[in-house]
Amino acid sequence: RRERCAFASIHQGLQSVRRRATTQLVAPSVTSRRGNSLQAAASKHHTTSMPPKAKGKGEVNEAGQAGASKWGRVKTNLKMGVVGLPNVGKSSLFNLLTEQGAAAENFPFCTIDPNEAQCAVPDQRFKWLCDLYKPPSKVPAKLLVTDIAGLIKGASEGAGLGNAFLSHIQAVDGIYHCVRAFESDEVIHVDDSVDPVRDLETIQSELCKKDLAYVKKQITAHESAKQGQKAPKLSESYISARDKIVAHLEEDKPAFMAGFTDSEIADFKVCAPALITTKPIIYLVNLSKKNFIAKKSKWLPRIADWVTSHGGGTVIPFSVEYEEEVFGAFQAGGAAAKQEVIAAHQGTKSVLPRIIKCGYKELNLIYFFTAGEKEVRAWNIYNGSLAPQAAGAIHSDFERGFIKAELCAYDDFKEHCGGKASMANLKSLGKYRQEGKNYVVKDGDIIEFKFNVSK
């Protein structure tokens, strides 16, 4: 009974420590695509709330996954990396997420150079807009995913292909931590037995050791006097963050568990911008097909307890075995064949869409839509972006010459457009409005940007 309850609560997304606070940001990096005046839309169900009031300088953020994104880059091209021991299902999951043919052989280190691909973020709003406008070009929001080769115990000291792999993890912005909770004589385990809690400890320990070596090196460089200069003056916030981070890492505890003020994060990021154990993590538990459909496993309660005691986070049970069967049916016979497989297995649906959406959200990304006769597109932006920054995602000229944004909410558009690809009804109802440079763009807004770069 406890196994089934653990599966249900984890599967529905109940978490020990949830959602980090969004942060005020500088302008994100933008793509260099050129575009005409475009439009964008938003859904209340998927809309992110206004950024919370900033904490005071001395107020400590909650320790754990909440606030992990504050340590990251403020960009629109952020990446999730799939991390874990060899043969836990990382590359197979990557193949399913990205529909690529990355090697998934049954031996350690089959993935050496990280594979990187984009996967579309599922969204019914985007599909509805495409059905309404019927444009020749349809571009959904994309999540960048990197398949990183398997780590083993001792990787931080160079075991296996350790240091190279750990450097690959430093290069991503969030982590899908994939653990194996299925038995199979055909798929070898690097430690000869299945124990996901032990595997979680192994990976965390290696990441902490890598971070500790990195932090000590960065601290020495940061605090040393440059030639002909005095040693830099260290702020109290920097010293406090430094001491907490080193103490946690020396005990094999991730840095994010320490709890930091905004000023501590800002001051220490200058010294060590590439910490691994401050990245947001989603734990993916690869079950057998049988256990996934039955919604129970002896390992789920233990994994949930471990995650709770190590800072919390999102835990998603899934099954590569079952997902491959569902996807194979779709490739062979389309949507109808896929539904037949799902119906034959107690209506158990794929969780790949949820994995993608959760990864996107953990990176603190949202998107707005542009919709017209020629194209419907979703544009990635960092949550909290102002209207000029969002315009810059289309083209830098849009941001540089920003005048205003004309927009409406997706729900309003869907409700009042009358089934027509037109804003006329919304304008007459006052649902189509103008916003200036201080407007914080909401997830899914429909915006027409006005700009002038003649000067």
Side-chain angles (χ1 to χ4, degrees), residues 150-289:
L151 294 172
I152 61 172
K153 190 172 184 179
S156 58
E157 299 172 356
L161 300 174
N163 283 318
F165 295 167
L166 288 164
S167 297
H168 294 157
I169 300 173
Q170 280 184 320
V172 301
D173 303 282
I175 295 172
Y176 285 128
H177 188 163
C178 188
V179 294
R180 173 176 171 176
F182 67 90
E183 300 280 354
S184 174
D185 294 333
E186 298 178 358
V187 182
I188 62 173
H189 191 289
V190 70
D191 291 326
D192 296 325
S193 63
V194 174
D195 185 343
V197 174
R198 176 200 60 205
D199 296 348
L200 287 166
E201 290 283 1
T202 297
I203 295 297
Q204 178 178 278
S205 178
E206 294 305 319
L207 298 184
C208 288
K209 286 182 172 65
K210 175 67 174 179
D211 262 0
L212 183 60
Y214 165 73
V215 162
K216 287 183 174 180
K217 182 179 178 180
Q218 293 297 110
I219 288 172
T220 300
H222 184 75
E223 298 181 8
S224 299
K226 305 296 186 291
Q227 187 174 5
Q229 299 179 4
K230 294 181 178 180
K233 185 178 180 180
L234 306 177
S235 68
E236 291 183 6
S237 295
Y238 168 86
I239 294 171
S240 175
R242 177 198 65 191
D243 293 346
K244 286 191 286 188
I245 287 173
V246 171
H248 272 68
L249 293 176
E250 287 179 339
E251 296 178 4
D252 272 354
K253 295 179 181 178
F256 70 73
M257 290 182 65
F260 302 93
T261 65
D262 289 344
S263 58
E264 286 175 338
I265 294 173
D267 288 354
F268 198 77
K269 273 178 68 174
V270 176
C271 168
L275 281 166
I276 295 174
T277 60
T278 56
K279 300 181 188 295
I281 301 175
I282 296 174
Y283 298 94
L284 305 179
V285 184
N286 188 7
L287 303 171
S288 67
K289 172 185 170 181

Side-chain angles (χ1 to χ4, degrees), residues 23-317:
T23 57
Q24 190 63 35
L25 54 133
V26 297
S29 65
V30 297
T31 60
S32 58
R33 295 185 180 91
R34 188 172 294 276
N36 299 321
S37 289
L38 298 168
Q39 298 179 333
S43 161
K44 291 179 183 177
H45 180 70
H46 292 284
T47 298
T48 307
S49 59
M50 291 291 288
K53 186 177 179 181
K55 294 179 180 291
K57 281 190 175 181
E59 189 174 347
V60 180
N61 294 300
E62 184 179 8
Q65 285 293 314
S69 65
K70 289 192 174 186
W71 288 91
R73 301 181 300 150
V74 180
K75 301 281 186 178
T76 60
N77 60 338
L78 304 180
K79 305 174 186 177
M80 290 293 292
V82 186
V83 174
L85 294 175
N87 296 341
V88 298
K90 299 184 311 302
S91 294
S92 297
L93 172 63
F94 177 83
N95 294 346
L96 287 164
L97 289 174
T98 62
E99 299 181 14
Q100 286 198 4
E105 287 87 351
N106 177 23
F107 57 89
F109 319 128
C110 69
T111 306
I112 298 175
D113 294 324
N115 293 298
E116 184 174 309
Q118 294 180 333
C119 50
V121 180
D123 192 337
Q124 290 300 314
R125 300 171 301 174
F126 175 78
K127 183 178 183 300
W128 187 86
L129 287 171
C130 289
D131 291 342
L132 179 67
Y133 281 90
K134 297 179 175 57
S137 176
K138 305 171 184 178
V139 186
K142 299 290 182 67
L143 175 67
L144 293 174
V145 180
T146 300
D147 179 22
I148 299 171
L151 294 172
I152 61 172
K153 190 172 184 179
S156 58
E157 299 172 356
L161 300 174
N163 283 318
F165 295 167
L166 288 164
S167 297
H168 294 157
I169 300 173
Q170 280 184 320
V172 301
D173 303 282
I175 295 172
Y176 285 128
H177 188 163
C178 188
V179 294
R180 173 176 171 176
F182 67 90
E183 300 280 354
S184 174
D185 294 333
E186 298 178 358
V187 182
I188 62 173
H189 191 289
V190 70
D191 291 326
D192 296 325
S193 63
V194 174
D195 185 343
V197 174
R198 176 200 60 205
D199 296 348
L200 287 166
E201 290 283 1
T202 297
I203 295 297
Q204 178 178 278
S205 178
E206 294 305 319
L207 298 184
C208 288
K209 286 182 172 65
K210 175 67 174 179
D211 262 0
L212 183 60
Y214 165 73
V215 162
K216 287 183 174 180
K217 182 179 178 180
Q218 293 297 110
I219 288 172
T220 300
H222 184 75
E223 298 181 8
S224 299
K226 305 296 186 291
Q227 187 174 5
Q229 299 179 4
K230 294 181 178 180
K233 185 178 180 180
L234 306 177
S235 68
E236 291 183 6
S237 295
Y238 168 86
I239 294 171
S240 175
R242 177 198 65 191
D243 293 346
K244 286 191 286 188
I245 287 173
V246 171
H248 272 68
L249 293 176
E250 287 179 339
E251 296 178 4
D252 272 354
K253 295 179 181 178
F256 70 73
M257 290 182 65
F260 302 93
T261 65
D262 289 344
S263 58
E264 286 175 338
I265 294 173
D267 288 354
F268 198 77
K269 273 178 68 174
V270 176
C271 168
L275 281 166
I276 295 174
T277 60
T278 56
K279 300 181 188 295
I281 301 175
I282 296 174
Y283 298 94
L284 305 179
V285 184
N286 188 7
L287 303 171
S288 67
K289 172 185 170 181
K290 178 181 177 181
N291 285 349
F292 180 68
I293 293 171
K295 295 181 171 56
K296 66 178 182 178
S297 166
K298 68 179 182 180
W299 293 112
L300 287 176
R302 305 179 202 183
I303 292 170
D305 291 343
W306 187 93
V307 171
T308 298
S309 63
H310 289 78
T314 303
V315 180
I316 304 177

Side-chain angles (χ1 to χ4, degrees), residues 357-371:
K357 290 179 180 179
C358 286
Y360 195 85
K361 190 172 183 180
E362 285 293 341
L363 295 178
N364 208 25
L365 294 173
I366 60 172
Y367 46 89
F368 63 89
F369 296 111
T370 59

Side-chain angles (χ1 to χ4, degrees), residues 367-444:
Y367 46 89
F368 63 89
F369 296 111
T370 59
E373 294 179 357
K374 295 183 178 180
E375 180 180 78
V376 171
R377 180 189 288 257
W379 299 87
N380 286 4
I381 58 173
Y382 201 78
N383 191 9
S385 293
L386 301 179
Q389 297 163 0
I394 299 174
H395 194 278
S396 57
D397 283 353
F398 280 43
E399 180 175 5
R400 184 164 59 90
F402 177 85
I403 298 174
K404 63 182 177 179
E406 297 181 353
L407 58 94
C408 72
Y410 171 85
D411 281 351
D412 288 340
F413 179 68
K414 184 175 181 180
E415 181 180 353
H416 300 294
C417 71
K420 300 178 181 178
S422 169
M423 294 290 174
N425 288 349
L426 285 93
K427 290 179 180 179
S428 64
L429 294 170
K431 299 290 186 180
Y432 190 73
R433 64 189 190 278
Q434 296 181 354
E435 297 287 355
K437 62 182 181 180
N438 293 323
Y439 174 70
V440 179
V441 175
K442 308 300 188 303
D443 181 45

